[in-house]
Amino acid sequence: MTIGLEHYLVLSAVLFCIGLYGALTKRNAVIILMCIELMLNAVNISLVAFSRYVVPVLLTGQVFAIFVMVVAAAEVAVGLAIVLAIYRGLADIDANNINLMKW
Amino acid sequence: MGLAAAFWIMAVVIVAAALGVVFLRNVFRAALTLVLCFVAVAGLYITLSADFLAAVQILVYVGAISVLIILAIMMTREVPQGSPANRLKLPAFIVAAVVLGIMIYTVTKTAWQVSAEAPLTPTTVPLATKLFSEGGFVLPVEIAAVLLLAAILGAIVIAREK
């Protein structure tokens, strides 16, 4: 069986949904950030697969994947800084207990 | 044939490592399986003949982001909880399963216009032309640079000791 575009897209969907489940259920803020990274990787896989199979000589999908990586790096830097700031203030990174701004 | 074998090995490793991230009790081990997942995704990029992106994946994700995450885990060590789940386990599972079903249905039912052309290799020079040439993506590259600068400054300001 030859590997086609659908295989990569289904793998990307599975990875995205694992990340989605983790991001929705986990209480540790660092684990939530890790699950968001999983979801961004899933999106990157589908972008590169589209680039390979739909426009093989244009590489547009790979350019988009590079920008997704830039945004992921910025997101994880700021997110972990926020987690550390919260930890310093509350001595806790449980998302259930971080409810200072909850009405 | 070799490509198919590489794809299936990478796919199994990616899914198993992602499940490890979500279901392992120990936060540090979850971070290590996340690194394994990133490496396998880089291998998947190689099967898609995206060699430059595979190198960038290793450098940025395996090299930088995972180190940041492990550093954050080390600095929040006194939290005694591991990686518990909240009360939304069943609703979240249903949401994720429904999203997965919809995506798989759409992907398999759509008639993709697959091009028969051979992919470019190596991709570094065409990517650079695409990013920096006139009519390419110069403006997004500049905006990405500003975004990275803002993120660095913001991270320093937020994480600094008062």
Side-chain angles (χ1 to χ4, degrees):
Chain A
M1 191 161 99
T2 53
I3 299 299
L5 177 59
E6 286 86 359
H7 292 80
Y8 287 97
L9 293 182
V10 168
L11 172 65
S12 154
V14 170
L15 188 58
F16 186 88
C17 287
I18 294 173
L20 178 67
Y21 173 77
L24 286 178
T25 54
K26 288 298 162 180
R27 280 164 50 187
N28 189 323
V30 179
I31 300 270
I32 293 176
L33 277 174
M34 286 160 58
C35 291
I36 293 173
E37 291 301 317
L38 282 184
M39 290 158 78
L40 287 168
N41 262 286
V43 173
N44 267 349
I45 290 175
S46 68
L47 282 175
V48 178
F50 278 127
S51 173
R52 160 71 179 81
Y53 283 102
V54 182
V55 283
V57 290
L58 286 184
L59 296 180
T60 324
Q62 296 197 20
V63 173
F64 273 70
I66 289 177
F67 287 119
V68 171
M69 283 182 183
V70 170
V71 175
E75 171 256 332
V76 80
V78 176
L80 290 176
I82 291 174
V83 168
L84 287 185
I86 290 173
Y87 179 71
R88 203 174 292 132
L90 298 180
D92 197 0
I93 52 169
D94 190 330
N96 278 6
N97 300 337
I98 306 171
N99 52 9
L100 281 175
M101 296 178 75
K102 203 167 168 185
W103 188 48
Chain B
M1 193 58 227
L3 210 63
F7 171 81
W8 287 115
I9 293 171
M10 294 303 169
V12 169
V13 171
I14 286 173
V15 173
L19 288 175
V21 171
V22 176
F23 290 113
L24 277 185
R25 290 256 149 238
N26 188 322
V27 183
F28 190 72
R29 286 187 190 154
L32 291 186
T33 55
L34 185 72
V35 175
L36 179 64
C37 184
F38 288 160
V39 173
V41 170
L44 204 67
Y45 288 164
I46 292 176
T47 69
L48 286 165
S49 61
D51 45 4
F52 180 73
L53 270 186
V56 170
Q57 169 89 8
I58 295 283
L59 283 176
V60 173
Y61 278 97
V62 182
I65 289 182
S66 54
V67 169
L68 265 183
I69 288 176
I70 290 174
L71 195 73
I73 289 174
M74 301 251 178
M75 290 182 78
T76 56
R77 258 208 116 90
E78 276 84 57
V79 180
Q81 49 172 345
S83 167
N86 58 17
R87 285 164 302 157
L88 291 175
K89 244 180 169 174
L90 187 65
F93 181 77
I94 292 171
V95 167
V98 167
V99 171
L100 179 64
I102 292 173
M103 280 203 279
I104 288 182
Y105 177 79
T106 328
V107 162
T108 49
K109 289 292 169 190
T110 310
W112 301 105
Q113 298 189 333
V114 174
S115 163
E117 284 174 282
L120 294 174
T121 49
T123 56
T124 313
V125 174
L127 265 181
T129 329
K130 193 94 186 162
L131 278 174
F132 297 112
S133 68
E134 214 164 318
F137 291 83
V138 182
L139 184 63
V141 169
E142 300 292 335
I143 295 174
V146 175
L147 174 75
L148 278 178
L149 179 67
I152 293 170
L153 289 179
I156 292 173
V157 169
I158 291 172
R160 191 178 50 180
E161 298 269 2
K162 290 290 181 304

